[in-house]
Structure formats: C-alpha cells, structure tokens
Amino acid sequence: MTRAPQPDRRGNRRGDCGLTTLEWLLITSAVAGLAALAVVLVQGRVSDTAERISESEAWLAAAIHTAWAVETDARGAAASDFELWADWESHFSQECSLIAVLYAGAEVAVAHNSFNRATGGTAFDAIAVSYAAAGDEQPATASKAQVQCEVR
C-alpha cells in the first residue's frame, strides 16, 4: 500500500510542489543564462567585424598616402641622388613594391608600379631631373618620365 502525501504545518502537501517550483526556476535561469550568453557572443562578433572593417579602411588610406609619397619623392629626386636612370627606376620601383609588404595585414596590393625613364639618355643629370619632375602616370616620352605607384 502506498501512503498519501501528508500535509505540512501550513496545509500544503509535501512532495512535488516544491520540486516543481525549483525545476521551473532552474529551467528559467538556464534559458536566461543561454540568452545572455548569446547576446554577448553576437555583440562581440558584430563589434569585431566593425573594428576590422574600419581598420582595413584606415590601412588602405595609409597605403594610398604612402604610394603618393613614393611618387612625390620620385618627381622630386635630385641629380645627386642617382647616377643613372636605371638607379632611379630600381629605387622607386622597390619603394612602391614594399608598400604591399608593409600593409600585407590589410590585404593591400600594388596595382601599378611603373617608374620608367624618359626615352633617350641614361645618366640622371640636371635634364633628367626635370624629366622626372614632369613625370606622370602616362607612358614615358622623350621629355618626361612615367611615375606611377597605385595600390588597391
């Protein structure tokens, strides 16, 4: 024979009532804990993604500025800086190529790296300096060099 639950002093039956309340409290707190964890994880992921995007844009802007500085230096080279046009070409081509290495973490790539002497002479003299100063992104001619360092 089984015994019926005996009422306690307050008139409640012992047994399942207290356990059921405790179970529901535990289940509710577990669900609330999982919801809080999900919110924290999603918020962290969104924050990381936003930070990476803004960092990437900043690094790309810095790389573009560096490429512009290389072009400016190439146009401003002095006759005493180089003996030959080949030295000028090599130096600034290397400078432009290094941008991809410096900003590799931001996946910056050099799209165009063209430092070509004005057609004609080989010495980097006073006339060559004026041809370098007149340099632009178009192919070299007899009176100007090609100066192009472009990143993406």
Side-chain angles (χ1 to χ4, degrees):
M1 244 188 187
T2 59
R3 296 173 96 189
Q6 299 295 321
D8 64 5
R9 291 184 184 144
R10 290 177 282 175
N12 293 333
R13 293 180 170 203
R14 281 194 226 154
D16 294 343
C17 236
L19 289 177
T20 303
T21 304
L22 180 61
E23 286 174 1
W24 279 108
L25 283 173
L26 290 173
I27 289 170
T28 304
S29 63
V31 169
L34 286 174
L37 178 63
V39 167
V40 168
L41 291 176
V42 168
Q43 184 180 17
R45 183 70 175 169
V46 168
S47 175
D48 288 348
T49 301
E51 189 174 301
R52 266 187 269 138
I53 289 170
S54 64
E55 278 183 13
S56 171
E57 290 173 2
W59 282 107
L60 179 59
I64 290 168
H65 177 73
T66 305
W68 174 80
V70 170
E71 289 180 349
T72 302
D73 290 349
R75 287 186 191 99
S80 60
D81 294 339
F82 304 99
E83 281 187 45
L84 303 171
W85 268 111
D87 299 333
W88 178 88
E89 291 170 328
S90 174
H91 176 78
F92 290 108
S93 289
Q94 258 184 338
E95 291 283 318
C96 187
S97 295
L98 285 175
I99 293 172
V101 175
L102 291 171
Y103 299 98
E107 298 179 10
V108 170
V110 176
H112 298 285
N113 183 359
S114 301
F115 292 88
N116 298 310
R117 72 184 90 191
T119 55
T122 58
F124 196 80
D125 53 15
I127 295 171
V129 167
S130 67
Y131 294 162
D136 61 18
E137 295 179 354
Q138 301 303 316
T141 65
S143 61
K144 70 163 194 68
Q146 182 179 21
V147 176
Q148 185 177 25
C149 181
E150 184 180 328
V151 296
R152 58 177 160 81

